[in-house]
Amino acid sequence: MTPLAKMTLRLVAVLMAVAWPLFAGAAPVERGDVLRIEVTDAEDFSREANVDLDGRIMMPGLGSLQVAGKEVDAIRAQIETALVERDLLKAPKVLVEIAAYRPVYVGGAVAQPGAIAFVPGLTPRQAIISAGGLSLKAEERAAAPEDIVQVIARSRATAYHLAQVEARVARLETELSGDETIETAPAATGVSEATVATILETEGAILRERLGRDDAVSGHLSAVLDLLDLELDILEQQADLQQSEAQNQSEEIDNARTLVERGLMPRPRLQEMLRESSQLNRDLLENRAFAARARQAKETARYEIEDTKTRTRIDLREELLEARRAKVELEASMQGLRAQMLNTGLALTEDTRLAPPEPRITLHRGAAERTGTTELVMDAPLQPGDVLEVVLDTDLRG
């Protein structure tokens, strides 16, 4: 090796030692990487070494070295220490760099799933482009313009209907809970905020009208109860007066019998008093009958109040069950329509505009014994060996 080449190699070694941690993000070496090892003034030890399945590399004179999970600086120090300990070199200068990274694997809703060569700074967006872009394998066929228009129209109509049903569910749940204001807004996709606000305003008006009707019915039945209580009170007072009058008349009749026996009162007068006493007793019995009917009417009114409340809650629960069933059906319809729209390369946004669909990317990262899974954004940095699973979710809430 010429002096100029040796100087160049040393300069490269210094630059790589300084720049590598910033450039690679201190990513550890793993199985499948290829390391370039340069030992200055000792070319016999320089080579490219593959990291095998056991996480080891082979070095002349050193044999097998465990490197998986270590950063390049640690591997460089490990090699330098091993060369000194085995008396192979006294003050070795070692450069370690990654000659070839483990590939990134892209699968799922892409045109060409498989391995993508890793370069520092690679993002999911770039990896998807390298894999041929997004694709729905099961639906790779062109849609006619009139079919696209029909799907878009059905999607918007279904989204609006779904927003109505979700608002109805929120209103019924609010009414069942006894609240007067709808707090939960429908999480509608494909419907503008202004439209959702209008739908909620309509459901709020229905809620207020139903609550007003229920209050009116309850108020009417409460007034009936109050009137029946008043009638019972009057009948009881009247019965007390009649009972007192009957007691007084009974005493007068006893006195009249004594007078008739002494000849001091004519018998027809006694008979007239007996007839009056009989009429008074009949009036008392009639009063008690009126009181019994009033108590019966009061109990009926109480039953109607409770029965009205129960029937109202039953009706509300049945309405809620029906609304939830309709919501599930509409969500299923939206999933199918959204899948058809994705086939055209479009998606319906929350403000009813059309836009390309956004994929959901799941990242599988790490060695076998410490694998982790997370979701990524399109411009997040990747690492060598990452596995990307790309999904074009057809779920309404995707």
Side-chain angles (χ1 to χ4, degrees):
M1 182 179 292
T2 66
L4 179 58
K6 291 181 179 179
M7 184 178 298
T8 303
L9 184 60
R10 291 191 183 97
L11 179 60
V12 171
V14 172
L15 290 176
M16 288 300 297
V18 173
W20 170 251
L22 298 177
F23 183 66
V29 172
E30 293 292 351
R31 301 165 182 82
D33 287 334
V34 179
L35 300 182
R36 180 179 294 113
I37 302 169
E38 298 286 350
V39 182
T40 59
D41 299 326
E43 295 183 4
D44 292 341
F45 295 103
S46 299
R47 60 172 297 164
E48 287 190 357
N50 294 314
V51 182
D52 63 20
L53 291 176
D54 295 325
R56 295 177 173 273
I57 60 172
M58 296 298 297
M59 286 285 295
L62 299 179
S64 175
L65 299 177
Q66 181 68 39
V67 297
K70 299 179 180 179
E71 298 177 10
V72 291
D73 283 344
I75 298 172
R76 174 184 56 77
Q78 177 185 3
I79 295 173
E80 289 178 348
T81 300
L83 289 171
V84 172
E85 288 178 347
R86 299 192 184 188
D87 293 327
L88 297 175
L89 294 173
K90 293 187 179 296
K93 299 295 182 183
V94 179
L95 167 66
V96 178
E97 62 179 346
I98 297 181
Y101 296 93
R102 307 181 306 285
V104 171
Y105 297 90
V106 184
V110 293
Q112 300 171 2
I116 302 296
F118 177 84
V119 293
L122 183 69
T123 65
R125 189 184 306 275
Q126 295 166 340
I128 290 173
I129 292 173
S130 298
L134 299 173
S135 175
L136 282 176
K137 288 295 185 182
E139 299 289 342
E140 289 185 344
R141 59 179 184 274
E146 58 271 18
D147 293 336
I148 296 176
V149 172
Q150 184 178 9
V151 170
I152 292 172
R154 289 171 57 197
S155 296
R156 286 177 169 165
T158 304
Y160 181 82
H161 192 188
L162 179 58
Q164 286 182 312
V165 172
E166 288 180 332
R168 187 178 308 133
V169 168
R171 186 251 300 167
L172 292 169
E173 290 176 342
T174 300
E175 192 170 354
L176 275 171
S177 67
D179 295 332
E180 297 181 358
T181 304
I182 301 175
E183 299 291 345
T184 305
T189 299
V191 181
S192 66
E193 292 183 0
T195 301
V196 172
T198 301
I199 293 172
L200 278 176
E201 183 179 351
T202 301
E203 290 295 333
I206 294 174
L207 175 62
R208 290 189 294 272
E209 290 173 358
R210 291 181 64 146
L211 291 176
R213 180 204 63 186
D214 293 342
D215 289 342
V217 172
S218 179
H220 170 71
L221 292 175
S222 296
V224 170
L225 282 177
D226 292 339
L227 291 174
L228 289 171
D229 285 335
L230 178 60
E231 182 179 359
L232 281 171
D233 185 60
I234 293 172
L235 288 172
E236 289 174 359
Q237 294 180 26
Q238 185 177 2
D240 291 341
L241 290 174
Q242 289 173 335
Q243 188 70 34
S244 177
E245 186 177 353
Q247 182 66 31
N248 293 333
Q249 194 170 39
S250 178
E251 294 176 357
E252 291 178 359
I253 289 174
D254 290 339
N255 294 331
R257 283 196 177 96
T258 302
L259 294 175
V260 169
E261 291 174 356
R262 294 178 181 179
L264 300 176
M265 177 182 289
R267 184 170 295 275
R269 175 57 183 157
L270 175 59
Q271 293 175 344
E272 182 180 353
M273 293 177 66
L274 290 172
R275 285 194 295 270
E276 291 175 355
S277 176
S278 177
Q279 181 61 45
L280 187 59
N281 287 331
R282 285 195 297 270
D283 292 342
L284 181 58
L285 290 174
E286 187 176 0
N287 180 284
R288 289 173 177 170
F290 283 142
R293 285 194 290 270
R295 281 190 289 271
Q296 181 182 10
K298 180 179 179 180
E299 291 303 318
T300 300
R302 284 178 176 171
Y303 169 79
E304 288 180 355
I305 290 176
E306 295 302 321
D307 183 62
T308 299
K309 292 179 180 179
T310 301
R311 283 189 287 107
T312 298
R313 294 187 67 82
I314 291 175
D315 292 343
L316 285 173
R317 293 186 188 280
E318 289 178 348
E319 283 188 63
L320 183 57
L321 287 174
E322 179 63 23
R324 286 173 174 167
R325 183 193 62 78
K327 177 183 175 183
V328 171
E329 290 181 353
L330 288 169
E331 286 176 341
S333 297
M334 279 299 295
Q335 289 174 11
L337 290 169
R338 191 167 184 264
Q340 293 180 46
M341 291 186 67
L342 288 175
N343 182 39
T344 69
L346 297 173
L348 198 62
T349 63
E350 292 184 0
D351 55 359
T352 71
R353 292 184 298 124
L354 296 174
E358 279 291 327
R360 189 175 74 235
I361 305 171
T362 301
L363 167 67
H364 305 271
R365 171 176 292 171
E369 66 272 9
R370 56 179 187 277
T371 301
T373 301
T374 186
E375 288 194 7
L376 287 181
V377 295
M378 290 290 282
D379 295 313
L382 296 176
Q383 292 184 10
D386 283 349
V387 178
L388 304 183
E389 183 180 354
V390 183
V391 176
L392 290 177
D393 196 352
T394 59
D395 183 72
L396 179 63
R397 304 289 171 231

